[in-house]
Amino acid sequence: MNGALLEVANLEAGYGPVEVLRNVHFSVASGEIVVILGANGAGKTTTLRAISGMIGCRGSVVFAGQSIRGRRPDQLVAAGIAHVPQGRGTITDLTVEENLRIGAYCRRDGEVDADIARWFDVFPRLGERATQPAGSMSGGEQQMLAIARALMARPTLLLLDEPSLGLAPLVTKELFAQLATVNAETGTAVLVVEQNANLALAIAHRGYVLEVGELVASGSAEELMTDEAIRKAYLGF
Amino acid sequence: MSEFLQFLFLGLGQGAIYATLAVALVIIYRATGLLNFAQGEMAMFCTFVIWMAWDAGLPFPLAVLVGMAFGFVMGAVIQLAIIAPVTKRAHGNPLPVVMVTIGLFLALSSLAPIIWGTDAKVFPVAFGEGSIELFGASITHRVLGTLAILGLEVVVLWLIFQRTRLGLAMRAVASNEESSALAGVPVGRMLMIGWGMAAAFGALAGGLAAYVGLTNTLMLVPLIYAFAAATLGGFDSPGGAVVGGLVVGVVTELSAHYIPFIGNDLKLLPAFLLILIVLLVRPQGLFGKRQVVRV
């Protein structure tokens, strides 16, 4: 586990008296795509919210060699973690371009405009809609915008919360293909939590399975895809 | 005709003051979804600071700037020390915070006479006493200057919100706090700056309004007009607040003069009627955005 970008150990988190996560351990290496699979209510969203400082947690969360537990979300963005929350998390009253600018809020360099042009190249539909309010776009376009917005921070780790939620299958497929490309080109590590195991495992290097707050299985994407029990429970074939 | 113009100008001059205070209300409403009932009293407090600076020998425009700077710090400190902790413990319920702003209203209103006494302070008339002739009516330098200040405010607000990184972040926080935090915007600092900016605009409104004589009741009535202005224009629209303020000012002055039973005693009546009609016909205000709730 030496050299892991993100190292989570003994993670426990919940809402008030309700404990959602128990004793969760996992890691993400630099440049790696890791998926956490699980059904509704398994604690996937809670895991990401605990990492990015949106809810309190116990245990250890170490990012790039430093403990980040208890830091605010905006401080973590500056440190290199960008979180795309469930339900897109675009800022609907701002235009597409303004959303991208907000994504670069933590940056002080002069390359923001160049990065915007770059993501407009990768996601041409965003470029066509640069001056439209984000809220006027379709679900798939908003999800692309949310991801591009997160990449504007030039993160070393991208957290994605169920990017396929509410999207048509074809759109989801395109989105995951683009994620794989972005990962290969920028070397940004990706931690994605998903219910759609097929698509997520297709682009992931490794995966974990979360069941009512506890990790019950882990392995390479191939191992998970060929594991009989996991296939039955999460892949449906 | 010239009499009509006379009262129109008078109304515009008053309206510019209401508009300035309404802009302060709107800045806080957009950022936090809250009505700050203490906005007027915060402005009154700052106006006493303007008076002290002027009384100590500073030129009036400089004294107003001192009061605005004091207001900025005061607003930011109130947000940090009182509003933020209460909001955190209220878990999304707006009522405790609104109650706190009413408490602030009472505290500031009774603190001012303790510090500065109860006698009305002589306060300078912004832009002096003179007047010019326009279309057969006379319009005072004060009214012209106040309108010019309002125009300047609109430009400055537009530049801040549309052309700066800070303004973009403030608009982002107003639209979606959680997504803004995840995008790297320090939400708490933005709310502090928002309260500071609002209080600074309030100080400006006080500095323009206090020519009638400065006491702790200076902003009581203007606050009600400002609420009417923001309701009319839409609580989430700074431009709407400006238009709303001018309309409220003009309607108030004209109806006081032309509708016999209203006169000076019932001046507030048209403002209340305006609030009522807007809330019935177009609850989001003329320029406000309708809240669309997706389920």
Side-chain angles (χ1 to χ4, degrees):
Chain A
M1 285 296 183
N2 244 353
L5 181 63
L6 177 74
E7 181 89 60
V8 172
N10 297 315
L11 183 67
E12 297 189 357
Y15 302 91
V18 185
E19 182 104 307
V20 179
L21 297 176
R22 278 180 307 277
N23 197 27
V24 169
H25 293 258
F26 66 92
S27 66
V28 180
S30 290
E32 200 179 25
I33 300 183
V34 173
V35 58
I36 297 180
L37 299 172
N40 262 339
K44 303 188 299 294
T45 295
T46 307
T47 305
L48 293 192
R49 289 172 70 90
I51 294 171
S52 66
M54 301 186 66
I55 56 169
C57 62
R58 291 175 301 282
S60 102
V61 183
V62 175
F63 176 72
Q66 285 193 320
S67 172
I68 56 165
R69 214 190 53 172
R71 288 212 220 161
R72 287 200 319 262
D74 58 281
Q75 295 171 324
L76 291 176
V77 176
I81 300 181
H83 181 167
V84 178
Q86 202 176 52
R88 283 147 214 153
T90 50
I91 295 163
T92 50
D93 290 336
L94 303 188
T95 67
V96 169
E97 195 187 320
E98 286 172 340
N99 266 276
L100 296 182
R101 275 188 201 287
I102 274 293
Y105 188 81
C106 63
R107 286 171 51 185
R108 295 278 175 184
D109 57 81
E111 294 168 24
V112 173
D113 286 330
D115 273 18
I116 290 177
R118 175 185 182 186
W119 298 122
F120 279 170
D121 270 352
V122 176
F123 304 103
R125 288 228 282 290
L126 299 184
E128 290 160 20
R129 286 161 173 70
T131 58
Q132 280 183 22
S136 70
M137 299 200 301
S138 74
E141 290 163 345
Q142 286 198 43
Q143 188 67 63
M144 282 175 197
L145 175 59
I147 291 169
R149 189 270 288 155
L151 290 167
M152 285 299 296
R154 292 194 173 171
T156 40
L157 174 64
L158 185 63
L159 307 178
L160 289 177
D161 195 344
E162 289 216 42
S164 74
L165 192 80
L167 300 188
L170 267 178
V171 177
T172 313
K173 222 174 155 178
E174 189 191 333
L175 192 73
F176 274 87
Q178 272 164 327
L179 270 179
T181 315
V182 165
N183 166 260
E185 281 178 5
T186 63
T188 307
V190 181
L191 174 62
V192 53
V193 304
E194 256 296 344
Q195 288 194 62
N196 191 330
N198 264 322
L199 275 173
L201 284 175
I203 66 160
H205 302 112
R206 285 189 309 117
Y208 296 86
V209 178
L210 190 64
E211 231 169 50
V212 276
E214 285 176 275
L215 288 178
V216 293
S218 67
S220 70
E222 292 81 35
E223 281 164 5
L224 290 176
M225 244 187 290
T226 51
D227 185 290
E228 189 77 18
I230 290 168
R231 265 181 41 195
K232 279 224 176 77
Y234 295 98
L235 301 171
F237 61 88
Chain B
M1 185 60 194
S2 72
E3 189 194 62
F4 173 81
L5 280 179
Q6 199 80 46
F7 285 99
L8 182 73
F9 290 145
L10 197 62
L12 286 174
Q14 288 310 106
I17 293 169
Y18 310 150
T20 304
L21 194 59
V23 163
L25 291 172
V26 165
I27 291 174
I28 287 184
Y29 182 83
R30 272 163 54 101
T32 61
L34 284 177
L35 297 185
N36 178 14
F37 285 93
Q39 200 77 62
E41 301 310 275
M42 286 163 68
M44 172 273 292
F45 218 78
C46 297
T47 312
F48 273 106
V49 173
I50 296 176
W51 174 80
M52 282 171 77
W54 174 72
D55 198 47
L58 277 191
F60 184 58
L62 216 57
V64 172
L65 287 179
V66 168
M68 289 177 73
F70 175 84
F72 186 89
V73 174
M74 178 190 196
V77 168
I78 286 177
Q79 199 280 335
L80 183 71
I82 303 174
I83 303 298
V86 174
T87 309
K88 201 174 165 192
R89 280 163 188 73
H91 297 291
N93 180 358
L95 277 182
V97 193
V98 170
M99 290 311 291
V100 164
T101 69
I102 294 175
L104 263 175
F105 173 105
L106 295 172
L108 292 173
S109 165
S110 31
L111 197 57
I114 295 174
I115 302 176
W116 292 290
T118 48
D119 294 339
K121 304 277 185 256
V122 177
F123 202 85
V125 178
F127 307 100
E129 295 282 4
S131 62
I132 60 164
E133 290 289 315
L134 203 65
F135 310 117
S138 99
I139 175 169
T140 60
H141 290 167
R142 183 188 67 78
V143 166
L144 277 178
T146 305
L147 287 171
I149 292 281
L150 182 67
L152 191 66
E153 266 173 55
V154 171
V155 173
V156 167
L157 270 178
W158 187 86
L159 286 176
I160 290 178
F161 280 120
Q162 300 297 328
R163 284 285 176 268
T164 69
R165 188 165 160 275
L166 173 74
L168 178 62
M170 289 179 75
R171 281 192 293 140
V173 171
S175 173
N176 188 333
E177 258 183 48
E178 189 173 292
S179 289
S180 304
L182 290 177
V185 177
V187 172
R189 197 181 312 159
M190 291 304 138
L191 296 179
M192 253 177 75
I193 294 173
W195 273 75
M197 264 175 70
F201 273 103
L204 180 59
L208 294 171
Y211 67 94
V212 290
L214 173 58
T215 68
N216 69 327
T217 59
L218 174 74
M219 298 309 267
L220 281 182
V221 171
L223 182 69
I224 293 170
Y225 288 128
F227 272 126
T231 310
L232 178 62
F235 261 100
D236 54 359
S237 162
V242 169
V243 175
L246 293 175
V247 170
V248 167
V250 168
V251 166
T252 315
E253 288 303 327
L254 289 183
S255 57
H257 187 70
Y258 286 105
I259 307 176
F261 70 89
I262 289 184
N264 254 329
D265 298 332
L266 286 178
K267 253 184 172 177
L268 271 174
L269 187 67
F272 279 123
L273 275 179
L274 211 56
I275 295 183
L276 193 66
I277 293 169
V278 172
L279 289 179
L280 285 173
V281 177
R282 202 180 148 82
Q284 72 272 30
L286 294 179
F287 302 92
K289 252 183 40 184
R290 215 169 57 183
Q291 295 292 324
V292 181
V293 181
R294 281 194 196 146
V295 282

